[in-house]
């Protein structure tokens, strides 16, 4: 039977098995690195200890990832891509702005509990004194900010469509900046366990939810159902 266009030549069974083993090895290394980063941080990260946790020879880590920085970025990408897809799917679903905002808050609590927020903070801190790591880390961080900007643009357009009007300085870019930087600051406060600020942050998140509920109610009263993003 001819192969599909673009599928390439069939590989020997031994090669397929080898590739499968390599994929499993890579996944074990990524999982072990994630757990080490969350538990001990970037500064204490040891390739030999990761290899021991993953049950592989440490030379395999160099083979698959070449350097420690390449390894930690691969860990970030493995988690980041899944979470960005989760966020985008939520944005594109049905429901009002307030509902999406509530979902985003639940996602954040999940990410805090899973260790992803700690992982991102560790790499941010490490990149301050590591130019090579910073060059790789920043595009991943900016991807989240771009996602926020898309959501704010849609919310602002909906607000204006319902007769709302903001002064010219209040652009989508400015509001998205507020949201993104507030959220990043909240993450560091949560990681440090600053209880007083945690209470204030939750109150601020509640206030935004209230504003979005008001926008949803206004749209519903006008009889204009829509799909929306927070």
């Amino acid at each position: 039977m001819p192969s599909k266009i673009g599928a390439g030549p069939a590989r020997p069974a031994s090669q397929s098995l080898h590739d499968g083993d390599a994929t499993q090895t890579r996944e074990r290394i990524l999982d072990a690195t994630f757990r080490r980063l969350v538990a001990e941080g970037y500064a204490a990260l040891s390739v030999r200890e990761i290899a021991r946790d993953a049950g592989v020879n440490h030379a395999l880590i160099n083979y698959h990832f070449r350097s420690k920085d390449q390894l930690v970025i691969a860990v970030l990408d493995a988690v980041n891509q899944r979470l960005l897809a989760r966020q985008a799917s939520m944005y594109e679903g049905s429901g009002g702005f307030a509902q999406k905002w509530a979902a985003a808050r639940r996602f954040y609590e999940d990410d805090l509990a899973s260790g992803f927020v700690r992982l991102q903070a560790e790499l941010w801190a490490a990149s301050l004194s590591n130019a090579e790591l910073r060059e790789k880390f920043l595009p991943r961080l900016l991807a989240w900010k771009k996602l926020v900007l898309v959501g704010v643009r849609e919310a602002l357009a909906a607000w204006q469509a319902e007769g709302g009007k903001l002064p010219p300085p209040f652009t989508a870019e400015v509001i998205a900046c507020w949201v993104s930087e507030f959220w990043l600051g909240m993450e560091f406060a949560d990681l440090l366990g600053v209880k007083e600020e945690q209470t204030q942050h939750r109150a601020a998140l509640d206030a935004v939810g209230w504003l979005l509920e008001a926008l949803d109610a206004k749209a519903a009263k006008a009889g204009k159902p829509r799909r929306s993003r927070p």
Side-chain angles (χ1 to χ4, degrees):
M1 180 182 294
S3 62
K4 294 181 180 178
I5 296 175
R11 295 174 297 177
S14 59
Q15 183 179 348
S16 297
L17 289 173
H18 175 75
D19 290 349
D21 290 343
T23 298
Q24 291 178 4
T25 297
R26 181 183 174 89
E27 289 175 352
R28 290 204 306 272
I29 293 170
L30 291 174
D31 181 62
T33 306
F34 178 86
R35 286 186 277 107
R36 282 278 175 182
L37 276 168
V38 170
E40 301 176 0
Y42 176 86
L45 199 62
S46 164
V47 171
R48 288 189 178 275
E49 290 178 352
I50 291 169
R52 185 188 64 196
D53 292 349
V56 302
N57 188 297
H58 77 276
L60 281 175
I61 296 180
N62 293 329
Y63 172 77
H64 284 286
F65 301 101
R66 298 188 180 181
S67 70
K68 186 172 82 169
D69 288 348
Q70 292 276 18
L71 172 59
V72 296
I73 288 298
V75 172
L76 178 62
D77 281 344
V79 184
N80 217 19
Q81 290 169 10
R82 176 173 56 82
L83 298 186
L84 283 170
R86 176 197 65 181
Q87 203 86 0
S89 177
M90 179 268 289
Y91 283 171
E92 294 169 0
S94 59
F97 290 110
Q99 182 179 342
K100 301 297 180 61
W101 182 255
R105 292 182 65 174
R106 290 194 298 271
F107 290 163
Y108 171 65
E109 295 298 334
D110 290 344
D111 295 343
L112 195 61
S114 73
F116 173 74
V117 175
R118 167 75 187 273
L119 165 67
Q120 187 165 263
E122 285 286 344
L123 297 189
W124 186 326
S127 70
L128 293 177
S129 57
N130 185 330
E132 184 178 352
L133 179 61
R134 183 165 63 248
E135 183 179 354
K136 296 180 176 68
F137 173 71
L138 281 179
R140 278 79 176 175
L141 178 64
L142 293 177
W144 282 98
K145 292 190 174 187
K146 288 177 182 177
L147 199 60
V148 170
L149 177 57
V150 170
V152 169
R153 280 175 174 163
E154 185 167 335
L156 190 57
W159 171 258
Q160 292 171 342
E162 301 301 340
K165 188 175 182 180
L166 292 174
F170 293 90
T171 63
E173 288 74 14
V174 166
I175 297 172
C177 179
W178 288 345
V179 173
S180 297
E181 300 307 324
F182 166 81
W183 211 286
L184 290 170
M186 179 178 67
E187 290 178 358
F188 279 103
D190 281 340
L191 290 172
L192 292 171
V194 185
K195 299 298 183 183
E196 298 82 1
E197 290 197 9
Q198 288 174 351
T199 299
Q200 295 172 359
H201 290 155
R202 298 309 181 267
L205 292 172
D206 289 342
V208 174
W210 182 88
L211 287 173
L212 294 175
E213 285 176 1
L215 176 57
D216 288 337
K218 188 174 182 180
K221 186 176 181 180
K224 298 179 181 179
R226 63 178 181 277
R227 297 169 66 189
S228 60
R229 304 179 182 182

